[in-house]
């Protein structure tokens, strides 16, 4: 079990297809989160470093960014297997 890529807890082989489907959705979700985080930081850090923003704005934006990542990840719970 420790060396297996997929471990079946039930005797249904369709669980393998479900695991692959969920894995692909999870990887797509991770890539989306990385894309938006990279875009946010690429735009936000130089603007904040120049001093064009009040100090609370980048802090609030980072908090909202974290919330958006969590909400994006929670979308995986709605996947029907």
């Amino acid at each position: 079990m420790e060396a297996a890529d997929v471990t079946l807890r039930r005797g249904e082989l369709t669980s393998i297809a479900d695991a692959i489907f969920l894995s692909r959705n999870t990887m797509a979700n991770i890539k989306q989160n990385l894309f938006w985080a990279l875009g946010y930081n690429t735009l936000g850090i130089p603007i904040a470093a120049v001093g064009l923003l009040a100090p609370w704005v980048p802090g609030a934006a980072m908090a909202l960014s974290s919330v958006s990542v969590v909400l994006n990840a929670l979308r995986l719970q709605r996947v029907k297997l």
Side-chain angles (χ1 to χ4, degrees), residues 2-58:
E2 293 178 13
D5 290 331
V6 176
T7 302
L8 297 177
R9 297 184 69 182
R10 292 178 268 150
E12 301 173 19
L13 292 179
T14 59
S15 299
I16 295 173
D18 292 342
I20 292 170
F21 178 74
L22 187 58
S23 172
R24 288 184 179 154
N25 283 342
T26 301
M27 289 304 297
N29 193 292
I30 290 169
K31 290 175 185 177
Q32 289 171 4
N33 287 338
L34 287 173
F35 172 78
W36 289 111
L38 179 66
Y40 165 81
N41 287 323
T42 300
L43 293 174
I45 289 174
I47 294 171
V50 173
L52 298 176
L53 297 174
W56 64 271
V57 175

